[in-house]
Amino acid sequence: MSRVVVVGGGFGGTAAAARLAKQGHQVTLVERLDRLGGAVGFVEREGYRWDAGPTSTALPAVVRDLFRKSGRPLERELELVPVEPMREHRFEDGTVLAMPSGSRSAQLEAVDATLGAGLGQQWVDHVHAFADTWDVLRRVYLERPWSPDHVDKASAALLHTRTTLQKVVTRTLKDERLREVALLPTRLDGHDPRNVPAWMGMWAYVEQNFGVWTVPGGMGRLAAAMTKRLGERKVEVLLGTSAVDLRVHAGRVVGVDTDRGSLDADVVVVAIDPRGLPVLAPHVSRTMPAIPPVLCHLGLSGDLPDLPHEVVLHGDPTLVVRTNGTAPAGGAAWTVLGRGRLSEDVTVALARRGIDVRRQIEVRVDRSPRDQVEELAGSAYGMLWQGRTTIDRKLAATPYAGVYGVGAHAAAGAGLPFVGLSAAVAAERIGPA
Ligand SMILES: Cc1cc2nc3c(=O)[nH]c(=O)nc-3n(C[C@H](O)[C@H](O)[C@H](O)COP(=O)(O)OP(=O)(O)OC[C@H]3O[C@@H](n4cnc5c(N)ncnc54)[C@H](O)[C@@H]3O)c2cc1C
């Protein structure tokens, strides 16, 4: 049995801890806050409750697999329900596209009907072009430990392509609105599509095929389910404890120093920004975090527009309204995310785009990008794409034996599916006790 220390109790760290404990290891998880979940959780104020971070997840199989492989299946803990439509896009020319979830033909019809005949086919062709990419990367990288010795040249070349997402989207989509739809996930995650490899476009394929899902009552409930799961698996959870560095001897990790003392370890799973640990920092010195969006949680009352789960107001700035918060009777709890040139109050910018709720605000909580990074001691959006070599920082097994990276900073991208997959791959690499 190995002594495993997991650093960071976000979705990445808790998922790795649950899997490794089930595999028979003795696991201790160190989390600097007084709760688990990291970006997953709730903000609560005066009877209103908003998801602090994620409000939905694509690829629900990742969460289901985690629960099944670490104990009782997800259905016994939480319900996952499809989000329909997946997202409503409102463009600057006034057109509105309610994009359906999980179906190629439904997306084709919706795009044709709202953006113009023929564009539906263009969209589904663009998305389908990523089917092979998804299939290859799933097998060699996303669901299996990457190993340059066992990967064929074509797959390695795909992952290290010079072609950017911006280039592919500009080439295959002639309609500016479809381009905005295609680039939205990347931009929302804080990246410039000119620095993102083309294969990240597979996200549209994943959403189209596997749908977008949420938890009734809020994705934040996942944090409580993970906390319970770690208790059932007898993971020792040290809350209010910060890892300050790793202890390394002769190239192998031997422990973790925390602000409350030292822990011995045979294996360490780093589920935080590795730049926060002096031993690892030099190996990721050229990386930068992807900056979170401006966030504004609004507690509303009175006569409100009936919006779907997520509405995207395209333009600069791009505003995203997520409506799944819970509110006292007759009210609504929305979260507005802002990206781009947001030089005025979020609610003013929202009103300019035709959603004016300024008179209905009962309570509001603003969380700047800086607030969010300070709260979690890092960006929940992980590493910024800075071109084709960024993947090598993410792939890099750390330079020390026994140290494994998981979470948004080590995964292909931010988001619960990538983060959850990174934990599954680390558990496979480490193997049973
Ligand atoms: C506003 C917002 C909206 C989002 N929306 C979505 C969405 O709709 N769908 C989706 O799939 N994803 C979404 N994401 C992304 C997703 O939430 C993250 O990618 C994911 O939760 C990251 O998990 P993580 O474990 O890697 O990191 P985090 O959640 O950041 O967890 C890291 C943890 O480590 C702790 N920590 C840091 N340093 C130390 C230390 N030195 N010692 C001990 N503990 C430490 C932190 O306190 C934190 O708890 C969103 C994120 C945000 C911020």
Side-chain angles (χ1 to χ4, degrees), residues 7-13 30-33 37-40 52-57 241-243 271-272 277 292-293 295 322 337 372 375-377 379-381 407-409 414-417 419:
V7 178
F11 185 60
V30 178
E31 165 56 52
R32 50 183 277 288
L33 296 176
V40 180
T55 50
S56 63
T57 183
T241 307
S242 277
I272 64 170
L277 298 170
L295 272 189
R322 295 177 161 179
L337 291 79
Q372 295 168 63
E375 186 190 330
L376 299 178
S379 170
Y381 284 87
H409 291 268
L416 301 178
V419 167

Side-chain angles (χ1 to χ4, degrees), residues 156-319:
L158 171 66
L159 204 59
H160 286 92
T161 180
R162 282 182 192 281
T163 310
T164 67
L165 184 58
Q166 173 87 36
K167 198 165 173 189
V168 171
V169 165
T170 312
R171 193 170 58 210
T172 62
L173 297 171
K174 300 302 169 204
D175 184 272
E176 192 49 45
R177 296 163 302 179
L178 283 184
R179 287 178 179 170
E180 286 177 17
V181 172
L183 295 177
L184 179 76
T186 298
R187 287 187 171 142
L188 259 193
D189 281 1
H191 307 285
D192 179 337
R194 289 171 300 186
N195 295 329
V196 175
W199 54 263
M200 282 295 281
M202 71 186 175
W203 201 242
Y205 177 80
V206 168
E207 285 192 339
Q208 188 187 80
N209 281 272
F210 307 109
V212 170
W213 300 69
T214 193
V215 173
M219 280 307 286
R221 291 180 58 209
L222 184 58
M226 292 306 295
T227 305
K228 180 166 170 247
R229 181 54 49 96
L230 295 201
E232 287 159 0
R233 294 268 66 90
K234 310 232 175 329
V235 172
E236 182 187 20
V237 176
L238 305 179
L239 295 176
T241 307
S242 277
V244 294
D245 208 352
L246 307 185
R247 273 190 291 121
V248 173
H249 180 68
R252 163 162 274 289
V253 74
V254 294
V256 176
D257 289 333
T258 80
D259 58 354
R260 294 188 165 193
S262 255
L263 300 165
D264 292 336
D266 307 305
V267 170
V268 175
V269 174
V270 175
I272 64 170
D273 182 344
R275 296 175 318 142
L277 298 170
V279 158
L280 294 180
H283 303 279
V284 282
S285 60
R286 273 188 258 148
T287 67
M288 283 166 63
I291 304 301
V294 167
L295 272 189
C296 177
H297 302 292
L298 295 173
L300 305 166
S301 67
D303 203 11
L304 294 162
D306 188 18
L307 303 183
H309 181 95
E310 182 167 298
V311 179
V312 182
L313 304 158
H314 288 275
D316 192 5
T318 294
L319 300 173

Side-chain angles (χ1 to χ4, degrees), residues 42 48-51 55 217-218 322-327 331-335:
F42 291 116
Y48 291 88
R49 186 169 86 168
W50 306 265
D51 273 319
T55 50
R322 295 177 161 179
T323 61
N324 74 319
T326 46
W334 295 0
T335 293

Side-chain angles (χ1 to χ4, degrees), residues 101-126:
S101 164
S103 158
R104 177 184 161 120
S105 58
Q107 289 199 349
L108 189 150
E109 260 176 48
V111 175
D112 257 355
T114 54
L115 301 192
L119 290 178
Q121 193 60 49
Q122 207 179 98
W123 172 252
V124 295
D125 287 348
H126 166 79

